[in-house]
């Protein structure tokens, strides 16, 4: 019930922001990019508040999870709370098969949507500025690191913050994907976690698995693409400067 109250409060705060937004646009008549930037920032703040600052998530996360059924067929095992990205994960007795539930997911998605809108609006503002570099090159140089940062924040950082027990559960789950795979025994010998390069290595009797390998490769690819586009931008700017100097005619 508390999770529903949190989601309802998130929707109400989003709607309440329409009043000052309308007054601002009526008085200032800002550009479309500026309007979307403000909308994105408001949604980001409301989403984060809905997932964390309402007080439910950190003060009493067990109450946020509640009960899945009236007769409590699948009792709550434990709860994990992450401040950023804000997330409350409720692990039930059947979460090994179906995964944990996230009662504050709506607020978290609102926050991510707000960040995405803000990033797009600000990038449009930068792309519309006069520049010697092409818009395509500037767009690649802007968006590639943003995608890399998104992968790190959403996919890598939460995994690095997991407790030892949660890491062990993730290793067990990785060994039983798809969930209906039938194995007589699964043994995790060791779990090694490193930050740079980010990796969670699960050691089994028959080998090892890095849970973050695909996400780390994606970050490296984005970083490489960003470097290429940044090089193209610098090259185009230098070429434009040289062309401008060469085209100058001496005063007669």
């Amino acid at each position: 019930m508390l999770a529903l109250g949190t989601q309802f409060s998130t929707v109400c705060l989003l709607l309440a922001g329409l009043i000052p937004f309308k007054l601002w646009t009526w008085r200032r008549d800002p550009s479309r990019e500026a309007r979307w930037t403000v909308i994105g920032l408001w949604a980001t703040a409301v989403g984060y508040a809905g997932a964390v600052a309402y007080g439910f998530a950190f003060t009493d996360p067990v109450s946020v999870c509640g009960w899945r059924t009236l007769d409590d067929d699948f009792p709550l095992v434990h709860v994990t709370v992450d401040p950023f990205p804000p997330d409350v994960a409720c692990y039930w007795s059947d979460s090994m098969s179906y995964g944990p539930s996230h009662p504050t997911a709506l607020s978290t998605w609102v926050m991510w949507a707000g960040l995405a809108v803000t990033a797009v609006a600000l990038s449009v503002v930068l792309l519309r500025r006069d520049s010697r570099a092409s818009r395509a090159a500037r767009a690649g140089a802007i968006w590639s690191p943003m995608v890399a940062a998104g992968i790190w924040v959403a996919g890598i950082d939460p995994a690095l913050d997991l407790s030892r027990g949660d890491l062990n559960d993730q290793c067990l789950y990785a060994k039983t994907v798809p969930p209906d795979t039938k194995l007589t025994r699964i043994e995790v010998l060791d779990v090694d976690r490193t930050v740079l390069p980010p990796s969670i290595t699960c050691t089994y009797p028959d080998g090892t698995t890095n849970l973050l390998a695909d996400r780390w490769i994606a970050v490296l690819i984005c970083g490489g693409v960003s470097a290429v586009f940044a090089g193209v931008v610098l090259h185009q700017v230098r070429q434009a400067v040289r062309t401008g100097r060469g085209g100058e005619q001496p005063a007669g």
Side-chain angles (χ1 to χ4, degrees):
M1 187 63 69
L2 288 176
L4 293 177
T6 301
Q7 297 173 10
F8 179 74
S9 299
T10 300
V11 175
C12 289
L13 284 176
L14 285 175
L15 296 177
L18 292 176
I19 299 175
F21 177 79
K22 286 295 184 181
L23 292 175
W24 174 64
T25 56
W26 176 64
R27 292 181 178 179
R28 299 291 185 178
D29 192 23
S31 64
R32 181 178 300 177
E33 294 79 16
R35 298 185 185 198
W36 279 109
T37 301
V38 171
I39 292 174
L41 291 174
W42 176 248
T44 301
V46 170
Y48 188 81
V52 176
Y54 292 157
F56 298 145
F58 286 172
T59 59
D60 195 4
V62 176
S63 297
V64 177
C65 295
W67 295 269
R68 293 183 58 186
T69 58
L70 293 177
D71 52 0
D72 200 17
D73 290 334
F74 304 100
L76 185 66
V77 178
H78 68 280
V79 181
T80 60
V81 178
D82 194 352
F84 193 87
D87 177 65
V88 178
C90 309
Y91 291 84
W92 311 88
S93 59
D94 61 342
S95 291
M96 183 61 69
S97 299
Y98 301 101
S101 61
H102 302 271
T104 56
L106 174 63
S107 298
T108 303
W109 280 109
V110 169
M111 186 203 72
W112 284 123
L115 284 175
V117 170
T118 303
V120 172
L122 290 178
S123 63
V124 170
V125 172
L126 295 176
L127 292 176
R128 287 189 173 181
R129 290 180 175 271
D130 294 333
S131 175
R132 295 183 174 92
S134 64
R135 287 187 177 181
R138 284 183 288 157
I142 293 172
W143 276 97
S144 297
M146 291 173 59
V147 173
I151 295 174
W152 183 284
V153 172
I156 294 180
D157 183 68
L160 294 177
D161 291 338
L162 292 176
S163 65
R164 185 74 179 183
D166 292 333
L167 289 176
N168 190 78
D169 292 342
Q170 291 296 322
C171 290
L172 291 175
Y173 185 74
K175 195 68 171 177
T176 58
V177 174
D180 56 352
T181 302
K182 304 299 182 182
L183 297 176
T184 57
R185 182 183 180 185
I186 303 173
E187 184 179 3
V188 180
L189 300 180
D190 188 27
V191 181
D192 184 30
R193 170 170 48 189
T194 60
V195 178
L196 287 176
S199 67
I200 297 177
T201 304
C202 307
T203 303
Y204 309 99
D206 58 347
T208 60
T209 298
N210 185 1
L211 302 182
L212 300 180
D214 54 344
R215 282 164 271 187
W216 176 232
I217 292 174
V219 170
L220 290 179
I221 292 175
C222 291
V225 171
S226 176
V228 171
F229 276 114
V232 172
V233 170
L234 292 176
H235 175 73
Q236 291 178 348
V237 171
R238 289 180 179 178
Q239 287 293 104
V241 172
R242 291 175 182 176
T243 302
R245 290 177 178 176
E248 293 178 356
Q249 298 296 329

